[in-house]
Amino acid sequence: MLLITGATGTTGREVVRLLTDREVAFRALSRTPTGDQVHGDHTDPASLDRAMEGVDGVFLLGPGTSDLPAYELAVLDAAERAGVRKVVKLSSIPVGPVAGWHGPGEEATRAFPAWTLLRASLFATNSVQWAPRVAAGEPIPNPTGTTKLGVVDPRDLAEVAVRALLDDDHHGRTYTLTGPELLSVPDQVAVLSDVLGRPLSTVDLPLTALPPEYAEGLRAVLGGEGSFLSDDVAAVLGRPAVDYATWARENYPRA
């Protein structure tokens, strides 16, 4: 029995889909459960204890906010109480304040008998936030200039996570998961322009126009800390990582 946290998010939904296809027994954890999901709230330890009953492995995916350490440590404490053997944590390439958010959860994950850390680059799906501007023909705000990142398809992240959950060969490994190419925001917008068949452009956005916490993280990105590629997706899956153009053709919203 597996417990999937973050089951309604971009990557969590794909993990749920893959496990369902493989007919693997799992529970999907949610603060506001619907359908077959189970209730669990990191501020309510008893709810986590109930969700952990009979669980052998946990996919740990917390919120992308400063609440992340509290959420992950609460889930991992419940997993320890329940005698869970394996934890696969979706983390982030350590850049800026987000690295600090993930640090406590990474350290606690390593205390389990079997563990795998998945440090992901920028999600391809982050560009969906541009869809209203794309539909309106408005420029896409660009706070990162020409800085390039290894934009990764969350479906690849989910496939690696499922391999790690189901196969003990990944115990004790820390994978860095990127796409196959480095792309800037203008590069991504150029791909979308080609895929969607419409002219698109960007407009520079100063960091001072952003919330301070977000701006702090982007300063680290602008310093190039996350501008590299890894072949870990290909090594685990035995195929190349999906590129941004393929993801966009198959997933980007059409107006």
Side-chain angles (χ1 to χ4, degrees), residues 16 20 26-30 33-39:
V16 165
T20 301
F26 69 90
R27 295 183 192 129
L29 189 73
S30 174
T34 60
D36 294 331
Q37 298 168 359
V38 298
H39 172 66

Side-chain angles (χ1 to χ4, degrees), residues 35-61:
D36 294 331
Q37 298 168 359
V38 298
H39 172 66
D41 190 315
H42 76 283
T43 64
D44 179 5
S47 71
L48 297 177
D49 288 339
R50 290 190 294 270
M52 290 287 178
E53 290 178 3
V55 167
D56 306 299
V58 172
F59 175 61
L60 183 60
L61 171 54

Side-chain angles (χ1 to χ4, degrees), residues 131-137 196 198 252-255:
R133 288 181 175 269
V134 169
L196 300 175
R198 67 181 68 176
Y252 207 82
R254 266 61 172 180

Side-chain angles (χ1 to χ4, degrees), residues 10 47 69 81 98 103-104 150 154 159 176-177 192 210 230 245-246 255:
T10 301
S47 71
R81 291 193 295 271
V98 175
E159 278 202 53
T176 299
L177 305 179
L192 291 178
L210 301 172
S230 165
T246 298

